[in-house]
Amino acid sequence: MEKLSVLNPVGYPPKITPKALAPRLDSLDGKTVYLVDPRFDDSGLFLRQLQRWFADNMPTVKTKFIEMNNVYTKDDPKTWEIIKGDGDAAIVGVGH
Amino acid sequence: MTLDNKYGVPTVALHTHVFEKVVESVNRVHGMPRAPRAFVPQPVMGKTAEQLRAYIDGKDPLSGRPVMQEVIEGLTQPIDDSGAVNETFVHSATPRVVDADSEENLQQLFLDKNWTDKLPIVLPTEKRVQEMLAHTSHKPDEVVGHMRSTHFRDYWEYTVEKVAVNAVMAGARPEYFPVILALASTGVTARGSTSSSAAAMVVVNGPIRNEIKMNSGTGAMGPFNHANATIGRAYGLLSQNGQGSSVPGVTYMGSQGNNYAYNNVTFAENEERSPWTPFHVEHGFKATDSTVSVFTGCRSTAFTLGVREKYWREHVRSMLRGLDAHSQPTFLLDPITARQFIDRGGFDTKEKLIAWAYENSLMAAKEYWDYQLIQNYILPRATFGEEPYASKLKAAPDEMVHMFKPEEIHVVVVGGETNGYWRIMDCNYQKTVSIDAWR
């Protein structure tokens, strides 16, 4: 059986740098949780229901609904700064 | 992920369950494999408030645990990242060669590795790759460009040799190589991961069309010409391999897929029979330059026969209205039809036809803003002031608004004049680049 030597067609991957996650909270009691709407496929409707869930089940949690400033494919430092300055945690959804 | 890592805000991301592998893969390549997430059933789009609440009250379809328990824990429970680095982040450079084996086994290996479009390939032996490389002045290790399957993934890199390997696999002849290198240099992927199942479209202009015997006439967009067929296929293979992969459910999420993607609608413009300026000259090149133009987002096509004397305006308006409002129309006109547009409408330049198409592609504002893709991609830009969308958002519900921007409409002449059939392809023009630079 003749053996052929062939070349690999796959490109070169980027170098991956591990990144740390933010420290988690002890509890959500009395905390402000931002509900971040990426404005994709009725995500706003979904988050409004999530907001109701907190009101029904964890009323000590303050939720704030916020829409991203642009389409979800863009970074949004302005929104992230608002959340950092005023919020304790965030839930983003629903996107892909 | 940015909010969590860069801004220090504990965050949970909610996704629909069909994106499990995508989310896992994206988190990994961004260095945060344990980033908290929870899943709800697909779809969210079109569901009532009650149905969405049921998702939230229900269980994560993947883990079987209550969705909100996962959300709350994701914000409050410590995350164990130990061991993640060594397990996940070790990347060695892609090996240059594949272990030697029989032709049959190598064909199977390439299939199993998802390195092909599932059709048989020409195995990229050293000799064949060298023959390809002989048709460019560029060195094998020169970086040609970078591609990624979607905006939230990192770019991968590829060299002249990597492009040659994929060109061989596609069955391209070495004399086509500068065209394929030019396509690779655009950095525009033909294997976008979009769930809308888009393909690319490729238009070649200038002298090289005839040098390599591309077809711009009868059957130009069909499987009847070696250069058209293999250049487009090479572009697809280079895209999927150059960007790392294009695997359904992981790095390709096109819900229905797209048959155009087999060779990415690759053809030459019929400059000889066109009554108008060639496409590349419209975009700043000389007629004697050889260029390739790339379009993405090809999904739908409207067609008709001829440009009728009495009701051609109504017919063309209907074709434009048949496209999704988030489309970008490109007229693909047989030379017969191009001349008919001059006779009927007096469009002695492509620009005049484009201006007419812009003015005549209208719909009620309420209908325009209700399109899901307009909601996803245009409404956010409009609400924060980007023109012309912000002004369009002020329109009364029944006021007619433009569906497209003039710069989004294009015209290319192709076909062999066997009849006056023509089409409008829904696709987004990306760029035109020099082929001569890659000779």
Side-chain angles (χ1 to χ4, degrees):
Chain A
M1 180 184 72
E2 183 193 3
K3 284 195 172 185
L4 298 172
S5 179
V6 300
L7 302 191
N8 185 322
V10 179
Y12 301 106
K15 184 179 177 183
I16 293 172
T17 307
K19 294 174 187 156
L21 294 165
R24 288 3 235 180
L25 303 171
D26 294 331
S27 157
L28 293 183
D29 281 347
K31 298 293 196 300
T32 298
V33 177
Y34 268 89
L35 309 180
V36 185
D37 178 11
R39 311 179 74 174
F40 180 82
D41 279 6
D42 295 340
S43 52
L45 290 174
F46 178 86
L47 287 181
R48 290 296 185 192
Q49 293 306 309
L50 195 68
Q51 195 165 32
R52 289 189 179 184
W53 186 93
F54 275 104
D56 293 344
N57 296 281
M58 297 180 75
T60 62
V61 178
K62 183 178 180 182
T63 57
K64 288 190 173 182
F65 180 88
I66 190 168
E67 290 182 330
M68 287 183 68
N69 269 308
N70 209 318
V71 292
Y72 69 96
T73 55
K74 308 282 187 190
D75 192 18
D76 191 2
K78 191 175 169 185
T79 299
W80 308 149
E81 288 291 353
I82 291 170
I83 296 169
K84 182 183 178 185
D86 186 38
D88 300 296
I91 300 169
V92 183
V94 161
H96 280 326
Chain B
M1 286 185 283
T2 302
L3 195 51
D4 210 313
N5 166 255
K6 190 173 172 184
Y7 290 83
V9 178
T11 303
V12 169
L14 277 157
H15 307 275
T16 55
H17 77 289
V18 295
F19 287 88
E20 177 195 18
K21 288 181 179 174
V22 176
V23 172
E24 182 184 312
S25 169
V26 169
N27 285 350
R28 189 174 65 247
V29 300
H30 282 88
M32 291 181 276
R34 309 280 165 87
R37 64 270 201 179
F39 295 89
V40 295
Q42 170 89 328
V44 164
M45 181 184 68
K47 292 293 181 183
T48 64
E50 292 73 24
Q51 289 169 322
L52 293 174
R53 179 58 188 263
Y55 282 1
I56 293 163
D57 288 332
K59 292 182 177 178
D60 180 326
L62 299 175
S63 69
R65 303 176 67 223
V67 169
M68 290 310 294
Q69 182 181 351
E70 293 191 320
V71 170
I72 305 303
E73 287 180 3
L75 297 174
T76 58
Q77 300 291 310
I79 296 163
D80 179 13
D81 261 345
S82 61
V85 171
N86 288 335
E87 286 172 10
T88 315
F89 298 139
V90 176
H91 275 252
S92 52
T94 308
R96 180 170 178 269
V97 297
V98 177
D99 291 342
D101 210 331
S102 68
E103 172 154 10
E104 186 181 358
N105 288 344
L106 287 170
Q107 287 281 356
Q108 189 62 47
L109 176 79
F110 275 57
L111 268 177
D112 294 343
K113 293 275 191 184
N114 294 306
W115 290 345
T116 76
D117 51 12
K118 307 304 177 188
L119 298 174
I121 50 135
V122 176
L123 288 171
T125 61
E126 189 88 50
K127 179 172 178 289
R128 289 170 178 152
V129 172
Q130 290 303 321
E131 288 168 355
M132 194 66 71
L133 290 168
H135 277 257
T136 182
S137 59
H138 293 259
K139 293 182 177 173
D141 61 352
E142 180 181 332
V143 173
V144 178
H146 303 84
M147 280 189 195
R148 56 182 179 176
S149 59
T150 185
H151 65 277
F152 50 76
R153 289 183 178 276
D154 285 333
Y155 285 101
W156 285 50
E157 185 170 272
Y158 43 85
T159 58
V160 169
E161 183 175 87
K162 287 291 182 189
V163 180
V165 171
N166 285 278
V168 169
M169 289 167 60
R173 292 185 182 131
E175 55 266 37
Y176 310 159
F177 192 41
V179 185
I180 298 164
L181 279 168
L183 280 166
S185 77
T186 64
V188 176
T189 181
R191 292 280 195 271
S193 174
T194 172
S195 51
S196 67
S197 305
M201 184 172 84
V202 174
V203 180
V204 176
N205 280 99
I208 200 161
R209 295 169 309 129
N210 296 324
E211 292 169 22
I212 60 174
K213 298 182 174 58
M214 289 192 76
N215 187 5
S216 63
T218 304
M221 289 191 282
F224 308 107
N225 177 276
H226 192 266
N228 293 26
T230 58
I231 289 169
R233 188 187 187 203
Y235 178 35
L237 293 177
L238 178 274
S239 295
Q240 69 184 64
N241 291 321
Q243 70 189 16
S245 68
S246 186
V247 177
V250 183
T251 47
Y252 178 81
M253 294 304 290
S255 188
Q256 294 181 310
N258 192 325
N259 209 265
Y260 289 152
Y262 278 108
N263 97 318
N264 298 299
V265 199
T266 298
F267 60 92
E269 185 169 32
N270 195 340
E271 297 177 24
E272 290 76 7
R273 297 293 298 162
S274 169
W276 295 318
T277 303
F279 191 82
H280 66 316
V281 176
E282 288 180 88
H283 291 84
F285 289 87
K286 293 183 292 189
T288 52
D289 293 335
S290 291
T291 67
V292 64
S293 301
V294 181
F295 300 71
T296 57
C298 298
R299 288 163 292 234
S300 59
T301 316
F303 96 102
T304 193
L305 173 58
V307 185
R308 301 289 293 163
E309 184 178 1
K310 284 179 71 175
Y311 292 107
W312 67 268
R313 295 172 188 81
E314 288 77 7
H315 297 160
V316 181
R317 283 184 199 123
S318 295
M319 291 171 74
L320 290 163
R321 278 294 307 267
L323 302 177
D324 190 284
H326 193 245
S327 300
Q328 297 185 10
T330 294
F331 287 64
L332 301 177
L333 303 180
D334 191 276
I336 289 175
T337 319
R339 289 192 293 275
Q340 277 196 316
F341 268 115
I342 295 173
D343 295 341
R344 303 292 191 220
F347 307 130
D348 54 2
T349 65
K350 288 181 178 175
E351 290 75 15
K352 289 180 182 174
L353 173 56
I354 289 167
W356 183 91
Y358 166 70
E359 291 297 345
N360 284 275
S361 44
L362 301 166
M363 66 169 51
K366 63 186 178 188
E367 190 180 338
Y368 175 86
W369 289 111
D370 189 54
Y371 268 95
Q372 185 70 61
L373 286 172
I374 298 296
Q375 290 267 322
N376 286 1
Y377 296 107
I378 302 299
L379 184 59
R381 297 161 68 179
T383 52
F384 290 95
E386 185 178 329
E387 293 294 353
Y389 309 121
S391 295
K392 202 181 286 188
L393 194 55
K394 294 172 187 164
D398 291 317
E399 187 178 335
M400 301 302 278
V401 298
H402 293 285
M403 293 172 66
F404 316 111
K405 294 195 283 188
E407 60 268 31
E408 294 172 345
I409 304 171
H410 301 280
V411 178
V412 179
V413 177
V414 59
E417 303 179 67
T418 62
N419 208 337
Y421 283 103
W422 63 283
R423 316 175 200 199
I424 298 177
M425 176 73 85
D426 143 32
C427 57
N428 308 340
Y429 171 66
Q430 297 295 334
K431 59 175 71 169
T432 300
V433 298
S434 169
I435 293 170
D436 300 321
W438 291 97
R439 290 183 188 263

